[in-house]
Amino acid sequence: MTATPILPSGVLPVATAIDLVQVSPVDSGQVRAVQDVIAASEDFAMLVDGFPPPPDEAEQLLAKIPPGSHPEDKAVMLVRLGSANIGVLDVVRDWPQRRTWMIGLLVLVPAARGRGVGGRVVATVDRWAIESGAKKLRVAVAPANVRGLRFWRRQGFSPVEVSRSGPHRLERPVIGF
């Protein structure tokens, strides 16, 4: 059974478990699912980039590796609630420094926002990071993404670098479980 790429009714499924499913760049179905979530979240791209996401945004996301990092340090995940793909998460471990994990992207389809899903995803990343020996999580937020900045602040992230023209960089210690 193929997972539903978006929530057509705008109502979250009854399922309570959030699953993160690592995407393989060679699995065309998974890559398409990532692209579908990105397309369904066009408002995010418009806010951050000023234009809709290109049709190959999923491939670009999967291929983009930060300088000094390695492909095996990066994970692009589909965020699933029940059988619905409701978001995309991009994480790079040990970047920009050892034992720091960079959350490069966390985007949720509009129907999943403001319902605690993002916080549950971040808690899952915390568990995963601490099990892997990470000490800090870091995120970059576009200045135009005021709502996103508030979200990350509520998750306990504090600014380490604030910029008027570039992204705000925030980080916090990994929360132990």
Side-chain angles (χ1 to χ4, degrees):
M1 182 167 130
T2 305
T4 307
I6 57 174
L7 303 170
S9 68
V11 176
L12 291 178
V14 176
T16 58
I18 299 271
D19 294 313
L20 299 180
V21 179
Q22 187 160 0
V23 175
S24 167
V26 297
D27 184 324
S28 61
Q30 288 182 332
V31 174
R32 178 82 247 155
V34 169
Q35 187 67 38
D36 289 345
V37 168
I38 290 170
S41 306
E42 181 179 305
D43 64 319
F44 176 77
M46 293 297 294
L47 175 70
V48 172
D49 300 323
F51 49 85
D56 66 342
E57 182 72 15
E59 289 92 349
Q60 290 181 41
L61 177 64
L62 285 155
K64 189 175 184 178
I65 307 294
S69 193
H70 305 283
E72 62 271 11
D73 295 329
K74 178 178 173 108
V76 174
M77 316 287 275
L78 278 165
V79 179
R80 287 192 179 149
L81 183 63
S83 64
N85 294 322
I86 61 167
V88 174
L89 171 71
D90 171 47
V91 177
V92 179
R93 70 178 174 200
D94 294 329
W95 197 86
Q97 61 203 33
R98 191 173 174 278
R99 299 178 81 168
T100 297
W101 283 25
M102 179 71 177
I103 299 172
L105 175 70
L106 172 55
V107 63
L108 299 173
V109 297
R113 297 178 196 156
R115 300 172 183 251
V117 174
R120 291 166 59 193
V121 171
V122 174
T124 301
V125 173
D126 270 316
R127 285 191 298 274
W128 178 29
I130 204 161
E131 289 169 4
S132 299
K135 295 293 183 191
K136 290 189 280 186
L137 295 179
R138 179 176 269 215
V139 64
V141 181
N145 190 359
V146 175
R147 186 175 177 192
L149 186 58
R150 282 193 310 259
F151 166 79
W152 290 109
R153 296 293 302 253
R154 280 193 313 271
Q155 300 307 309
F157 287 74
S158 298
V160 291
E161 180 184 337
V162 177
S163 169
R164 291 188 191 269
S165 59
H168 301 301
R169 287 175 174 64
L170 301 97
E171 67 181 33
R172 70 158 166 77
V174 173
I175 297 173
F177 291 89

